[in-house]
Amino acid sequence: MQKNSIKEATIKAGKGLWKAFPMILGTILLISLISVSIPKSFYTTVFSKNIFLDSVIGSLVGSISAGSPLTSYIFGGEMLSQGVSLLAVTAFLVSWVTVGMIQLPAESAILGKKFALLRNITAFVLSLIVAIITILILGVII
Amino acid sequence: MKFRDKLKSLSGSWYFLGTIILIYILVSIFNQEIYLKSLDFFSQIIYKVIPVFILVFVLMSLTNYFITPKFIMKHLGEKGIKKWFFIVVGGVLSTGPVYMWYPLLADLKNKGLSYGLIACFLYNRSIKIPFLPLMILYFSWQYIGVLLLVMIFMSIVQGISINKLMGVAPLGVSPKGTRSQKQEVKNENSYSIRRKNAR
């Protein structure tokens, strides 16, 4: 196995984090502003405590969002602290990382339109299923 | 480099950060209370995530050091169930932006890798080992463990579904479909044999 040198590996990691830095910093700033300005009751209005509707809303929001997964964890964690259900947050997290609306043109061009569309549609549907199964399992083991 | 060229070279995320800072400036002018409270909230989050980011950086460096695309691609030519296992592991261990992997996957597709295996690989790319500390900071160990296991299982479900939807038989079994579908499976099998012979 041909390894990268330690220096190369560290530089690559630094570059990766630096690339995500403005998006993460901007997201934390935005979350701070939203958390302070919008009352918690707003989230409970959007997420209605309906198991299916909540996960659909979470998946939709996650699907149209883009950026590093690090951002989604921070955003998801703060959503949870604002009273949004774990089900909706899970659907949001999974669709954020598995549905790639931003990369869709590149994926279509290189791997084929039919494949790219099918992959993203199934990833969206699976984000709902993953969220429901995860919460059901957690409900049993905790 | 001219100022205009420098601006053009900036990525969209820097514009996003710039816009947020501009919003903060406007808020500081029109509502000092919200501005100060937001900064306080911001500092609380930053204080919480900085140690985790240091750990993330170390884990990313280690992943970059030990795992290379060459190492992952070496194991994608396995057969049957073993192939799915290596695809899952390869997807989890792969690093870098997803679009960097498209040309490599397209090349493997031409050499016979099925669409389902590509979908499975891409799904597992969403599991980032170096980012686990941050996930655990916001969620519990149990939650992360269950979520990751369910996601790995669903990546295989997606792979099999994609194979069916695209008309490719799973695990390289001869399909009852069209000539092109049969050719695809034939390519996949011949690719596995070539990899085996090469080894």
Side-chain angles (χ1 to χ4, degrees), chain B residues 101-137:
Chain B
W101 287 89
Y102 291 152
L104 274 167
L105 292 171
D107 183 49
L108 284 171
K109 187 191 80 179
N110 293 333
K111 286 171 182 161
L113 198 72
S114 75
Y115 282 110
L117 289 167
I118 293 173
C120 183
F121 179 86
L122 290 173
Y123 199 95
N124 281 293
R125 273 189 45 82
S126 61
I127 299 168
K128 304 279 183 200
I129 303 288
F131 297 168
L132 284 181
L134 192 73
M135 290 180 88
I136 291 160
L137 178 77

Side-chain angles (χ1 to χ4, degrees), chain B residues 18-88:
Chain B
T19 310
I20 301 296
I21 290 171
L22 198 68
I23 293 170
Y24 264 75
I25 293 169
L26 290 173
V27 172
S28 75
I29 296 166
F30 294 107
N31 196 328
Q32 276 272 322
E33 196 191 341
I34 287 185
Y35 170 72
L36 291 172
K37 275 185 179 174
S38 303
L39 281 187
D40 185 46
F41 197 94
F42 171 75
S43 61
Q44 281 174 32
I45 300 180
I46 287 290
Y47 187 71
K48 200 162 70 174
V49 297
I50 278 182
V52 183
F53 270 108
I54 295 168
L55 188 59
V56 167
F57 174 71
V58 173
L59 287 172
M60 279 174 81
S61 302
L62 287 173
T63 313
N64 290 334
Y65 181 65
F66 288 107
I67 314 296
T68 59
K70 205 176 173 183
F71 170 74
I72 292 166
M73 290 305 154
K74 193 180 153 190
H75 296 282
L76 296 189
E78 300 292 339
K79 251 185 130 181
I81 305 278
K82 216 173 167 186
K83 182 183 270 182
W84 287 92
F85 173 76
F86 279 111
I87 284 286
V88 169

Side-chain angles (χ1 to χ4, degrees), chain A residues 1-4 9 13-14 19 28-29 32-33 77-78 90 97 103 107 115 119 122-123 126 130 133 138, chain B residues 13-14 16 20 24 37-38 42 53 57 61 64-66 68 71 99 102 115 126 135 138 143 154 158:
Chain A
M1 176 173 71
Q2 194 190 344
K3 289 177 195 167
N4 292 317
K19 212 174 166 186
I28 297 175
L29 280 167
S32 307
L33 191 62
E78 294 306 323
T90 309
V97 290
Q103 298 96 337
E107 193 177 340
F115 168 76
R119 196 192 71 77
T122 49
L126 285 173
V130 167
I133 293 176
L138 276 176
Chain B
S13 51
W14 284 102
F16 170 71
I20 301 296
Y24 264 75
K37 275 185 179 174
S38 303
F42 171 75
F53 270 108
F57 174 71
S61 302
N64 290 334
Y65 181 65
F66 288 107
T68 59
F71 170 74
Y99 46 82
Y102 291 152
Y115 282 110
S126 61
M135 290 180 88
Y138 277 104
Y143 171 79
M154 285 302 165
Q158 190 193 31

Side-chain angles (χ1 to χ4, degrees), chain B residues 165-176:
Chain B
L165 291 165
M166 298 291 291
V168 181
L171 304 176
V173 177
S174 182
K176 292 171 184 171

